[in-house]
């Protein structure tokens, strides 16, 4: 085995009271692909951000080639030869592919003018080394996610990156694109690079990696050669408990139709989407990132207008593009992006928790604070939100507690239809199980729950029925008994014609 | 709920008291009732416009056309008087409707077409002022009945303070209740901090902002009516540049230019503070140019102050690693 190129030892990082990483170790060797697996909230993203120089570790050492490395900014990480490929790269859409690759360090000719010809040929050579075909002159806008990642990889190579961190690169890729990415990754590995590959898909991790590290709750659990591992062993180490406890699904009696969606279409986002969620039912909406799941939820909730179709709650039609009316009709949406959509980070816990109910909490049209405080306190207690004071800004809370505030905010409206979009993304395992228990309990009380989730275990563990979307269309409606990873993934990748 | 003063409000109030006391002790005339009468007369139009401006800036927008709305209202009022509209209530009603309509134009461009309020209201700042010149040209209309003009500046019996300040106070209470104790106000802070999260909570961001610009127009028009009667003069250049005085007061009053933060009490204290400062220094024969410099510095300090404090705090935290 080749010597370690990059080593992390005893790395810890806390955000406020929340320890995201505790005493983590990791050794990346040149010429190897190293898999990193763990549940959402296990600390993988924090680790990536430390390697990318975004966060500085509170404790521990990072060494490169045996030299201690202090990464106090993204530029230094890049200079040290560490490149990170994110799940969704952020390119400059209006610049060409070549300009994106050489942004900030364009080849120059006389009078400090940019040598566009050289830039173009250099970019072409990079793509040739990767064995892919991409036009360096085309604008980045409109490139598929897979191609955008290749641009990022080309950029990394042009920077002589020796450590390549790939953070869930395949989450939004099709089968062919994944194969191409793997070919590129193997080529980089054979050229001596150390690759850290993060993925939720075990088949990929086992196919690509030589060693696998498992993390759980911010801690390092194990690192083993891939030959010594099986999927079952890895899952058990990731979860650290019996999986059934993670998904406390109660059996419920399915009642009358609550949410009916008929022929819903929005140009460029989704087309002819129709389904029904009954009282007491948890229906999962599965699919790859970009399949249009969140867009459908936004349209139902009135955030975006739809071009055709209708949405009914308890048989009453909702008006298009009217969120206030949707809330009044008993719809609640716990959005995907907690920080941008779920919460007003600068406002207090109390204000956030009562925002959708501000009209009903007013006495004689006035809100004098007492009713808001009472309402917020009641829900904070019920969901066990750990907050200093309810008047503290919600930004001071940990991710899991923030998510509880979002849930409290919507559960307090006593919804009849609850839409949750990635309800457990980025929260710790304990809170995750609590959220699942809560959803199950709500369904048992007669709420119709529509759950968007990219985590297959969550989908399979929680849903009575699984709807699958692919490229803006519903491709499958699978009852719980027949739902398996295979059946859902087939439909999600558009392979289910049967 | 026991709610202490927000610290910035307290600082501005304290500054007001200190400046008033120091002024009274050191500058001849500041202690006189006449001085306070002039401060109040000058502060009335600023305060009237600052009330809606506070709400507008808290939502993360700005209305720079207010002084031009005031000017256009003045000229229209003058022209109507010349054309034979002799009922004061009718004149006031027409002016308020006009102001509301001018504000609605702003609101429509901003919320209907999604244009930045800074650009739109700079445009209407020029447009409305231009229209004011179209209406009256270089003429001035100043032959209003004396009963009107004296009524506008009549003092509260037993004092020298003009009674119109009571109207301002009543309106201030209305705006304060809307902002701080009504569901609408909760929505204003939410959309100022994060418009997307506000939408997800069912706040109708565009409609609310539209009505705020309408209110801003109407209040500017009301300030225009007062301006016309106080100076007994309707001219196209009435109130030129006071949008800066208003914005200065709002920001000095602790409202964040980025939206989402601030309270009305601080703004009202800042209106008074700037008025006392300006008039007091005038009495001390400080040249007008220096006054402008001082106002500018105060404005910059009020915007930069909180940022510097935040930056220091962050630097300290970083160094603790």
């Amino acid at each position: 085995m080749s010597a370690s190129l990059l080593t992390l030892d005893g790395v810890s990082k806390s955000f406020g009271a929340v320890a995201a990483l505790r005493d983590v170790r990791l050794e990346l060797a040149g010429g190897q692909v190293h898999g990193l697996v763990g549940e959402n909230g296990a600390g993988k993203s924090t680790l990536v951000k430390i390697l990318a120089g975004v966060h500085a570790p509170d404790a521990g050492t990072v060494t490169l080639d045996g030299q201690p490395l202090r990464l106090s900014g993204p530029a230094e990480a890049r200079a040290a030869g560490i490149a990170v490929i994110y799940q969704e790269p952020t390119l400059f859409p209006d610049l060409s592919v070549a300009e994106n690759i050489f942004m900030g360090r364009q080849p120059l000719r006389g009078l400090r003018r940019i040598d566009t010809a050289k830039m173009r040929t250099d970019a072409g050579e990079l793509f040739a080394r990767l064995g892919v075909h991409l036009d360096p002159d085309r604008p980045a806008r409109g490139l598929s996610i897979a191609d955008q990642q290749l641009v990022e990889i080309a950029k990394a190579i042009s920077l002589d990156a020796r450590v390549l961190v790939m953070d869930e690169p395949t989450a939004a890729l099709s089968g062919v694109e994944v194969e191409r990415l793997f070919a590129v990754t193997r080529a980089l590995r054979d050229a001596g690079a150390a690759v850290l590959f993060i993925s939720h898909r075990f088949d990929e991790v086992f196919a690509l990696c030589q060693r696998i590290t498992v993390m759980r709750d911010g801690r390092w659990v194990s690192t083993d050669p891939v030959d010594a591992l099986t999927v079952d062993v890895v899952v058990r180490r990731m979860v650290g408990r019996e999986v059934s406890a993670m998904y406390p699904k109660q059996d419920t009696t399915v009642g009358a139709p609550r949410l009916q969606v008929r022929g819903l279409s929005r140009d460029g986002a989704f087309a002819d989407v129709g389904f029904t969620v009954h009282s007491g039912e948890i229906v999962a909406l599965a699919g790859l990132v970009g399949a249009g799941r969140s867009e459908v939820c936004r349209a139902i909730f009135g955030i975006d207008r739809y071009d055709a179709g209708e949405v009914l709650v308890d048989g009453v039609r909702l008006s298009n593009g009217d969120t206030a009316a949707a809330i009044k009709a008993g719809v609640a949406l716990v959005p995907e992006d907690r920080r941008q959509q779920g919460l007003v980070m600068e406002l207090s816990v109390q204000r956030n928790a009562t925002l959708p109910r501000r009209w009903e909490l007013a006495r004689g049209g006035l809100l004098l604070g007492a009713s808001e405080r009472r309402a917020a306190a009641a829900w904070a207690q019920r969901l066990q939100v750990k907050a200093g004071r309810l008047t503290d800004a919600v930004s001071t809370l940990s991710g899991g507690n923030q998510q509880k505030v979002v849930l409290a905010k919507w559960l307090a409206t006593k919804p009849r239809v609850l839409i949750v979009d990635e309800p457990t993304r980025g929260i710790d395992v304990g809170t995750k199980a609590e959220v699942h228990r809560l959803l199950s309990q709500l369904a048992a009380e007669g709420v119709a729950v529509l759950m968007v989730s990219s985590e297959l275990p969550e989908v399979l563990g929680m849903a009575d029925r699984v709807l699958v979307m692919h490229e803006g269309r519903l491709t499958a409606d699978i009852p719980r008994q027949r739902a398996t990873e295979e059946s859902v993934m087939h439909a999600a990748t558009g392979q289910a014609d049967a | 709920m026991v709610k202490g003063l927000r610290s910035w409000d307290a600082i501005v109030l304290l500054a007001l008291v200190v400046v008033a006391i120091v002024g009274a002790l050191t500058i001849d005339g500041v202690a006189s009732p006449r001085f306070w009468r002039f401060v109040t007369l000058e502060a009335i139009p600023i305060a009237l416009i600052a009330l809606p401006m506070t709400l507008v800036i808290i939502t993360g927008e700005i209305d720079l056309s207010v002084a031009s709305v005031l000017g256009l209202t003045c000229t229209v009022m003058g022209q109507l008087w010349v054309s034979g509209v002799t009922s004061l209530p009718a004149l006031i009603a027409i002016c308020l409707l006009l102001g509301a309509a001018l504000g609605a134009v702003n609101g429509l461009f901003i919320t209907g077409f999604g244009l930045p309020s800074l650009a739109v209201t700079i445009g209407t700042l020029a447009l409305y002022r231009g229209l004011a010149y179209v209406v009256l040209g270089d003429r001035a209309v100043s032959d209003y009945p004396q009963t009107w003009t004296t009524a506008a500046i009549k003092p509260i019996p037993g004092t020298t303070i003009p009674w119109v300040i009571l109207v301002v106070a009543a309106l201030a209470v209305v705006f304060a209740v809307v902002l701080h104790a009504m569901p609408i106000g909760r929505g204003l802070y939410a959309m100022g901090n994060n418009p997307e999260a506000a939408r997800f909570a069912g706040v109708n961001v565009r409609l609310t902002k539209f009505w705020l610009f309408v209110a801003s127009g109407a209040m500017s028009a009301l300030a225009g009516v007062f301006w016309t009667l106080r100076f007994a003069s309707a001219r196209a250049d009435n109130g030129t540049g006071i949008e800066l005085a208003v914005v200065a007061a709002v920001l000095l009053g602790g409202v964040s230019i980025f939206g989402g933060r601030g309270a009305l009490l601080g703004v009202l204290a800042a209106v008074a503070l700037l008025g006392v400062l300006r008039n007091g220094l005038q009495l001390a024969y400080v040249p007008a140019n220096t006054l402008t410099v001082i106002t500018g510095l105060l404005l910059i300090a009020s915007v930069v102050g909180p940022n510097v404090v935040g930056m220091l705090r962050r630097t300290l935290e970083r160094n603790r690693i």
Side-chain angles (χ1 to χ4, degrees):
Chain A
M1 196 176 74
S2 47
S4 168
L5 182 62
L6 182 83
T7 309
L8 273 72
D9 195 24
V11 167
S12 299
K13 176 74 189 172
S14 300
F15 298 100
V18 185
L21 291 180
R22 280 175 283 197
D23 195 19
V24 168
R25 73 187 84 159
L26 186 68
E27 282 186 20
L28 301 183
Q32 257 196 12
V33 182
H34 193 119
L36 177 62
V37 296
E39 292 199 291
N40 284 355
K44 295 171 308 201
S45 322
T46 310
L47 192 71
V48 169
K49 283 182 178 154
I50 284 177
L51 289 175
V54 176
H55 294 320
D58 297 336
T61 55
V62 182
T63 48
L64 184 69
D65 284 332
Q67 300 292 320
L69 193 62
R70 198 178 137 84
L71 298 168
S72 50
E76 284 168 51
R78 209 166 60 175
I82 301 173
V84 180
I85 313 300
Y86 291 101
Q87 181 180 336
E88 289 184 43
T90 44
L91 299 179
F92 300 99
D94 293 314
L95 298 184
S96 75
V97 165
E99 283 168 320
N100 267 291
I101 293 176
F102 293 104
M103 174 50 71
R105 51 197 176 85
Q106 295 90 343
L108 299 179
R109 50 198 179 115
L111 299 174
R112 296 194 56 78
R113 285 169 303 160
I114 290 173
D115 191 342
T116 43
K118 179 163 165 37
M119 196 160 75
R120 197 176 306 138
T121 47
D122 286 359
E125 276 169 27
L126 287 170
F127 289 131
R129 266 169 73 187
L130 291 174
V132 294
H133 299 285
L134 260 183
D135 178 6
D137 280 332
R138 64 155 296 162
R141 189 184 297 283
L143 283 178
S144 70
I145 301 249
D147 287 343
Q148 292 179 37
Q149 287 173 344
L150 289 175
V151 173
E152 290 281 4
I153 293 174
K155 188 166 157 185
I157 300 174
S158 75
L159 283 159
D160 294 324
R162 292 184 301 154
V163 178
L164 201 63
V165 180
M166 304 172 93
D167 191 0
E168 297 192 38
T170 57
L173 303 194
S174 69
V176 184
E177 291 169 330
V178 169
E179 273 314 312
R180 192 176 57 166
L181 182 72
F182 279 16
V184 167
T185 311
R186 289 193 181 105
L188 290 171
R189 176 196 68 193
D190 295 342
V195 180
L196 181 64
F197 181 82
I198 300 169
S199 176
H200 280 302
R201 300 186 186 162
F202 297 119
D203 50 338
E204 293 174 1
V205 174
F206 276 83
L208 188 65
C209 302
Q210 281 77 57
R211 285 198 293 167
I212 298 176
T213 291
V214 180
M215 285 180 68
R216 181 175 73 233
D217 294 344
R219 291 176 194 277
W220 173 86
V221 176
S222 67
T223 301
D224 295 287
V226 70
D227 310 330
L229 291 170
T230 65
V231 172
D232 283 345
V233 170
V234 171
V235 170
R236 213 172 305 136
R237 287 179 183 168
M238 272 171 60
V239 179
R241 69 176 92 172
E242 285 308 309
V243 179
S244 58
M246 274 304 292
Y247 306 107
K249 178 79 182 81
Q250 300 179 11
D251 281 324
T252 58
T253 41
V254 170
R258 268 263 140 101
L259 173 70
Q260 289 166 283
V261 176
R262 293 179 190 154
L264 213 62
S265 298
R266 178 178 157 84
D267 202 27
F270 50 86
D272 197 24
V273 172
F275 59 86
T276 301
V277 185
H278 300 83
S279 162
E281 202 178 23
I282 297 180
V283 173
L285 194 51
L288 300 181
V289 172
R293 299 168 300 164
S294 299
E295 287 76 7
V296 168
C297 296
R298 289 169 63 107
I300 293 172
F301 195 52
I303 299 289
D304 301 327
R305 296 181 65 83
Y306 40 86
D307 304 324
E310 58 179 355
V311 177
L312 294 93
V313 172
D314 287 334
V316 181
R317 202 183 153 145
L318 292 185
S319 76
N320 189 353
D322 187 346
T323 306
I327 295 172
K328 202 171 278 177
V331 185
L333 171 67
V334 174
E336 158 184 42
D337 185 340
R338 194 162 58 222
R339 304 181 68 85
Q340 270 309 308
Q341 303 165 339
L343 296 169
V344 184
M345 298 305 283
E346 295 81 1
L347 290 186
S348 65
V349 174
Q350 180 175 317
R351 290 273 175 100
N352 269 291
T354 57
L355 196 56
R357 298 176 68 210
R358 64 197 186 287
W359 293 99
E360 61 179 280
L361 286 174
R363 295 280 166 272
L366 296 184
L367 277 173
L368 297 173
S371 59
E372 287 168 293
R373 196 177 61 242
R374 264 198 307 276
W379 279 97
Q381 199 181 6
R382 194 169 152 192
L383 296 189
Q384 297 169 341
V385 178
K386 290 184 197 71
R389 278 167 310 188
L390 292 175
T391 48
D392 287 346
V394 78
S395 58
T396 60
L397 270 55
S398 70
N401 279 303
Q402 287 176 2
Q403 185 69 341
K404 286 185 187 174
V405 175
V406 183
L407 284 166
K409 163 178 167 177
W410 288 111
L411 296 186
T413 65
K414 301 221 168 27
R416 288 185 283 178
V417 174
L418 178 65
I419 307 173
V420 287
D421 195 349
E422 304 286 0
T424 59
R425 176 182 285 175
I427 62 181
D428 60 89
V429 183
T431 312
K432 207 163 170 170
E434 278 178 58
V435 169
H436 289 150
R437 199 168 302 121
L438 196 65
L439 290 178
S440 206
Q441 192 188 326
L442 286 163
E445 287 166 15
V447 175
V449 178
L450 178 64
M451 177 181 77
V452 174
S453 175
S454 297
E455 282 181 66
L456 275 180
E458 183 171 79
V459 167
L460 299 176
M462 293 301 298
D464 292 300
R465 243 174 345 121
V466 183
L467 303 172
V468 188
M469 281 187 78
H470 173 67
E471 290 181 352
R473 287 175 184 277
L474 272 188
T475 49
D477 182 345
I478 311 169
R480 182 177 180 82
Q481 304 82 313
R482 288 201 286 115
T484 61
E485 296 220 1
E486 290 74 31
S487 61
V488 173
M489 277 319 290
H490 270 247
T493 47
Q495 296 157 13
D497 292 318
Chain B
M1 184 159 98
V2 186
K3 198 159 89 184
L5 282 176
R6 290 183 336 127
S7 55
W8 188 260
D9 293 352
I11 291 172
V12 180
L13 273 172
L14 190 68
L16 172 62
V17 173
V18 169
V19 166
I21 291 174
V22 170
L25 293 178
T26 57
I27 302 169
D28 220 16
V30 169
S32 77
R34 239 175 79 85
F35 174 80
W36 291 97
R37 174 173 172 76
F38 276 108
V39 168
T40 312
L41 280 173
E42 194 187 271
I44 285 169
I46 309 262
L48 283 174
I49 302 174
L51 293 176
M53 186 73 85
T54 303
L55 275 56
V56 168
I57 294 184
I58 282 175
T59 66
E61 305 289 344
I62 197 163
D63 185 355
L64 292 178
S65 72
V66 287
S68 299
V69 171
L70 184 154
L72 181 52
T73 312
C74 288
T75 59
V76 168
M77 186 173 165
Q79 187 60 46
L80 286 171
W81 165 252
V82 172
S83 326
V85 181
T86 54
S87 150
L88 186 58
L91 279 175
I92 293 177
I94 293 170
C95 285
L96 288 181
L97 283 176
L98 172 70
L102 296 174
V105 171
N106 285 334
L108 198 67
F109 277 110
I110 291 156
T111 63
F113 302 118
L115 300 172
S117 55
L118 185 68
V120 169
T121 58
I122 283 179
T124 49
L125 177 152
L127 173 69
Y128 295 162
R129 186 64 72 183
L131 289 177
Y133 280 100
V134 170
V135 174
L136 274 193
D138 288 335
R139 289 181 295 138
V141 176
S142 44
D143 54 345
Y144 302 100
Q146 215 186 352
T147 48
W148 293 9
T149 53
T150 49
I153 56 173
K154 213 159 93 175
I156 301 167
T159 69
T160 59
I161 306 294
W163 71 274
V164 178
I165 197 68
L166 298 178
V167 177
V168 176
L171 286 167
V173 169
V174 171
F175 275 90
V177 168
V178 169
L179 179 60
H180 296 301
M182 280 180 67
I184 296 176
R186 299 290 192 266
L188 297 182
Y189 284 102
M191 71 178 84
N193 275 310
N194 183 342
E196 196 177 5
R199 278 178 66 210
F200 272 87
V203 178
N204 195 330
V205 174
R206 296 203 306 187
L207 195 67
T208 314
K209 284 185 178 173
F210 174 81
W211 285 109
L212 278 185
F213 279 97
V214 171
S216 178
M219 291 293 284
S220 304
L222 188 61
V225 172
F226 174 76
W227 196 286
T228 305
L229 295 180
R230 180 201 163 188
F231 294 105
S233 170
R235 290 172 53 93
D237 65 350
N238 276 8
T240 302
I242 65 161
E243 70 277 350
L244 292 182
V246 172
V247 173
V250 173
L251 298 187
L252 184 60
V255 175
S256 165
I257 187 74
F258 304 111
R261 244 174 335 121
L264 212 54
L265 183 62
V267 172
L268 292 171
V271 171
L273 174 62
L274 287 176
V276 171
L277 210 55
R278 204 160 36 230
N279 285 285
L281 292 175
Q282 254 164 20
L283 276 185
Y285 300 108
V286 172
N289 291 338
T290 316
L291 285 182
T292 317
V293 170
I294 291 174
T295 316
L297 288 177
L298 268 177
L299 183 56
I300 290 174
S302 68
V303 177
V304 172
N307 285 327
V308 170
V309 172
M311 230 153 64
L312 284 176
R313 195 174 297 150
R314 272 194 301 278
T315 316
L316 287 177
E317 272 170 19
R318 249 187 113 83
N319 289 345
R320 269 189 305 156
I321 300 170

